[in-house]
Amino acid sequence: MEPACRKDKPKLNSTPTRGDRAKQKSAQQELKQRQRAEIYALNKVMTELEQQQFEAFCKQMQSQGD
């Protein structure tokens, strides 16, 4: 016998479905790829800047030595 005060409530399915998980994984991979590309681009810019600064430093040291 069930108690009279008990009401059946619809259960909320909080578990992500297979499609949701696939979408989330895909979005995560895209984010990772974008961040990786940004890091490589930033690294390239910083390397070029460092090279320019090093060349300017070398020229300055040469002119002081002459």
Side-chain angles (χ1 to χ4, degrees):
M1 249 194 336
E2 290 185 27
C5 63
R6 182 176 173 203
K7 295 182 181 179
D8 290 330
K9 296 180 183 176
K11 293 183 178 181
L12 297 175
N13 190 1
S14 62
T15 316
T17 62
R18 183 174 288 159
D20 290 342
R21 283 182 281 191
K23 285 179 187 177
Q24 192 175 29
K25 187 174 182 179
S26 176
Q28 192 73 15
Q29 286 177 335
E30 287 177 21
L31 176 64
K32 231 179 193 181
Q33 286 177 338
R34 196 182 102 237
Q35 287 176 334
R36 185 180 181 118
E38 289 176 0
I39 288 169
Y40 277 110
L42 181 61
N43 189 35
K44 182 179 177 182
V45 169
M46 295 301 291
T47 301
E48 290 171 356
L49 177 63
E50 185 179 9
Q51 184 64 31
Q52 289 173 359
Q53 289 176 339
F54 178 70
E55 289 171 0
F57 173 76
C58 288
K59 285 180 184 177
Q60 182 184 7
M61 295 306 285
Q62 272 186 336
S63 66
Q64 286 180 359
D66 290 341

